[in-house]
Every structure is written in C-alpha cells, then in structure tokens.
C-alpha cells in the first residue's frame, strides 16, 4: 500500500503566529507542531477505527519516531494515509501534523 503524499501549507488560523508552525530540534530530538486550533486524537493504530488513547491539547508539539500507512484522513495539511508514531503504540494522522515536507520524514514503522 503506497503513501498518499500531500502538500503541507500552514493553516490560516486566527491569532496564530508563524512560530507555532516551527519544527523544533533540541538535544532530545525533533518535535513537530499539531495544526493550530486542533486537538488531535492519539490512537492505538493507523486509523480512526483504532481506540483513542488520549487527545493532544492545542499548540502541542510531538516527536515522530516512525511512520506507517493506514486509513486515509483529510486534515489541515491535505489528505494522506500516512500515520505518525509518537510513542509506543500511539499514532496520529499526519494530515494534522506540520512537518514542512511531503511524505515520510521518519523511518517506516516495523
């Protein structure tokens, strides 16, 4: 199953600053911002039929350890079937994450 690539352009959210969309790289790793104005569900697998583990708060920045194809989702950054692994057994739809690039930005999950 291939990955539907999408173009990521910053969402025009009222009161949002460009800094909110900045990818942060620190000694502990790289963190990517969730689309401004969105609270994103974290699921146990790469699709909306998987159980919700938690919901990310507004303005959250997340690590992406690996990525895998799954259910196609439409979000602020396009339509994609790519899902981002942010912790052991926790995935978010890449269409809600600003990575600054199309397609894979991390290794494929096993």
């Amino acid at each position: 199953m291939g990955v539907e690539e999408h173009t990521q352009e910053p969402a025009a959210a009222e009161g949002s600053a460009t800094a909110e969309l900045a990818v942060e790289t620190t000694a502990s790793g790289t963190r990517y911002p969730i689309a401004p104005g969105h609270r994103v569900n974290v699921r146990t697998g790469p699709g909306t039929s998987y159980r919700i583990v938690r919901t990310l708060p507004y303005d959250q920045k997340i690590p992406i350890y690996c990525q895998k194809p799954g259910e196609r989702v439409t979000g602020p950054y396009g339509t994609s079937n790519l899902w981002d692994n942010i912790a052991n057994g926790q995935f978010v739809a890449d269409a809600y994450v600003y990575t600054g690039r199309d397609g894979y930005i991390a290794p494929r999950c096993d």
Side-chain angles (χ1 to χ4, degrees):
M1 177 188 234
V3 172
E4 291 284 329
E5 291 192 9
H6 59 276
T7 301
Q8 292 193 350
E9 294 181 16
E14 190 173 311
S16 68
T18 306
E20 290 176 349
L21 294 176
V23 174
E24 292 179 359
T25 303
T26 65
S28 61
T30 303
R31 299 179 73 79
Y32 301 88
I34 297 297
H38 291 274
R39 294 188 66 206
V40 176
N41 290 327
V42 179
R43 298 182 177 273
T44 58
T48 59
S49 62
Y50 287 88
R51 183 173 58 84
I52 296 172
V53 178
R54 61 190 168 118
T55 301
L56 298 175
Y58 294 112
D59 303 324
Q60 180 77 35
K61 291 190 178 182
I62 58 169
I64 298 176
Y65 298 111
C66 63
Q67 296 173 293
K68 74 186 310 182
E71 179 183 348
R72 185 178 305 180
V73 172
T74 298
Y77 301 120
T79 300
S80 175
N81 70 342
L82 192 58
W83 286 72
D84 304 331
N85 175 259
I86 64 168
N88 189 23
Q90 297 184 19
F91 292 85
V92 296
D94 190 65
Y96 284 87
V97 181
Y98 182 76
T99 61
R101 296 179 49 195
D102 292 341
Y104 285 91
I105 55 94
R108 290 181 184 237
C109 300
D110 291 334

